[in-house]
Amino acid sequence: MNAAVLATVLLAAEEEFNPDDVTPGVWGFVITFLIMAAVLLLVLDMVRRIRRVNYRAEVREQLEAEQAAEAAGGSPAGAGDASNGSAAGEAGAAASDRPKPE
């Protein structure tokens, strides 16, 4: 058995090395480049979606904080009130002047 392995190794050593047998060639490069481009596009899309989710969460937290401030009786910063003459502020002031039904 040892002689068969030795004969195979010697036979393989005598054969000429052909670089085309071990390189991927042009098609290997093209396929690798296309896979790399697809992965890059997927990463960019993922980053965009993650940013959008983070921004929506921040806006949701701000809205909840504003609603909590309104429920506590204070007015949130940047909201229109009756003193600046905005339509939203006047509507809010008019609604607060109405008596509440029992």
Side-chain angles (χ1 to χ4, degrees), residues 12-95:
E14 290 176 4
E15 293 181 11
E16 187 176 325
F17 177 72
N18 186 358
D20 292 333
D21 290 339
V22 293
T23 62
V26 175
W27 284 110
F29 172 76
V30 169
I31 291 172
T32 303
F33 182 80
L34 291 176
I35 290 173
M36 183 183 64
V39 167
L40 179 66
L41 291 175
L42 287 171
V43 167
L44 291 175
D45 184 57
M46 181 188 64
V47 167
R48 182 177 56 91
R49 289 175 187 265
I50 289 173
R51 279 189 189 146
R52 186 183 307 154
V53 168
N54 287 339
Y55 290 145
R56 285 182 181 171
E58 288 176 12
V59 168
R60 189 177 304 122
E61 288 175 3
Q62 289 175 353
L63 290 175
E64 289 173 357
E66 289 175 4
Q67 289 174 351
E70 286 177 3
S75 64
D81 59 305
S83 64
N84 67 6
S86 68
E90 291 171 4

